[in-house]
Amino acid sequence: MHTQNLDPLELERYSRHLALPRFGEQGQLRLKQASVLIVGLGGLGSVSSLYLTSAGVGKIGLIEDDHVNLNNLQRQILYTTGEVGQSKLALAAQKLEAHNPTVAIKTHPHRLNADNAGAIVQEYDLVVDGTDNLVTRRVINQACVALDRPYIYGAVNLYDGQVSMFHASQGPCWACLFPESPQEPQPKRPEQLAVLNTVPAVIGALQATEAIKWIVGMEQTLIGKLLIYNALQASFEKIGIEKNPQCSVCGC
Ligand SMILES: [Zn+2]
């Protein structure tokens, strides 16, 4: 099935994966042949992009159109103080390539919207959500349902985070959980975006973990489940999500 092999340097780089039960060289080859799109390079995307790059995903696409602000540095660990004002996309691409030159990094200097989402998403096997707004999440979900791509959702607020995997051909889609409402919440103002800095690190790492598991072919996924983390309680809770037959995106 696989036409590629791992070269001696890859065998050394990924030796801790190769020794893993249910992973091995086949799992690593699957990562090498896979492509992942990461939408947004903030707190979540900083972490998921670093782990997916170091894990050896063959092609990683990055979408971001913002610049580094001083108040990003508390949680957006891809960037440093001297980089305030610079393009997050250019910095991320440069650092991820340095981290693992075997990974092909492709940059998309846009904001994902209904006009460009289909063409971008169809280049990738899976989408990881590093955004912080409902409008972009709705666009990601619609493209993923239309193209039958898995969508790994993550969100953070205050001391809480949540993560799930949506794949409409196998379970609910994101809009089954968050249906469009006439009173769509307004985007949050900066002062409402309070979050403990380690919460996006936990959720971003969980998103990368679920992406790796799906690519390698591990059976247990978060399809149909929402995993909720609370830092104050030091607790994880997993709740079921039902597919909505009347869903405006994936319902029939
Ligand atoms: Zn749905």
Side-chain angles (χ1 to χ4, degrees), residues 141 145 168 171-177 242-251:
N141 184 58
V145 171
C173 83
W174 178 87
C176 294
L177 181 63
E242 300 288 332
K243 194 173 179 78
N244 174 8
Q246 272 86 50
C247 174
S248 62
V249 181
C250 76

Side-chain angles (χ1 to χ4, degrees), residues 14-251:
Y14 303 119
S15 58
R16 300 302 192 270
H17 274 169
L18 303 183
L20 262 181
R22 304 167 63 195
F23 202 108
E25 190 163 347
Q26 177 157 337
Q28 196 61 49
L29 280 168
R30 284 186 172 175
L31 285 175
K32 185 176 180 176
Q33 291 165 345
S35 56
V36 173
L37 177 66
I38 300 171
V39 184
L41 293 168
L44 294 170
S46 282
V47 173
S48 62
S49 65
L50 274 169
Y51 278 96
L52 291 170
T53 299
S54 53
V57 170
K59 176 183 168 187
I60 294 183
L62 307 172
I63 301 189
E64 178 60 66
D65 68 348
D66 206 357
H67 293 76
V68 179
N69 283 299
L70 186 60
N71 68 12
N72 296 153
L73 301 178
Q74 164 247 24
R75 67 204 173 283
Q76 300 185 14
I77 57 164
L78 268 178
Y79 317 111
T80 61
T81 307
E83 294 165 348
V84 169
Q86 296 183 41
S87 155
K88 288 184 183 180
L89 189 65
L91 290 167
Q94 181 188 9
K95 292 178 187 192
L96 296 173
E97 276 163 3
H99 209 77
N100 189 347
T102 73
V103 173
I105 304 288
K106 180 166 180 179
T107 56
H108 301 271
H110 318 289
R111 187 163 284 257
L112 200 71
N113 59 45
D115 293 331
N116 62 21
I120 296 174
V121 168
Q122 73 170 355
E123 282 188 51
Y124 300 90
D125 300 326
L126 173 148
V127 179
V128 173
D129 172 7
T131 65
D132 58 3
N133 70 85
L134 290 174
V135 173
T136 311
R137 288 195 175 116
R138 215 167 279 296
V139 168
I140 296 172
N141 184 58
Q142 282 173 347
C144 286
V145 171
L147 295 162
D148 193 27
R149 297 293 196 277
Y151 163 23
I152 299 186
Y153 158 74
V156 296
N157 184 43
L158 305 178
Y159 296 96
D160 297 302
Q162 49 185 241
V163 57
S164 184
M165 179 166 177
F166 298 100
H167 198 184
S169 58
Q170 298 174 32
C173 83
W174 178 87
C176 294
L177 181 63
F178 298 102
E180 201 156 4
S181 110
Q183 282 117 26
E184 194 87 325
Q186 294 299 305
K188 289 184 175 177
R189 297 190 302 277
E191 64 272 24
Q192 296 175 302
L193 294 171
V195 68
L196 180 68
N197 72 338
T198 53
V199 173
V202 171
I203 300 301
L206 285 168
Q207 289 180 285
T209 305
E210 294 306 306
I212 291 166
K213 283 168 52 194
W214 182 80
I215 292 165
V216 170
M218 295 176 180
E219 285 163 10
Q220 286 195 320
T221 69
L222 283 176
I223 291 175
K225 301 180 190 94
L226 183 70
L227 183 64
I228 301 168
Y229 170 59
N230 180 281
L232 290 178
Q233 307 286 333
S235 67
F236 282 96
E237 183 188 4
K238 199 158 38 170
I239 60 172
I241 309 168
E242 300 288 332
K243 194 173 179 78
N244 174 8
Q246 272 86 50
C247 174
S248 62
V249 181
C250 76

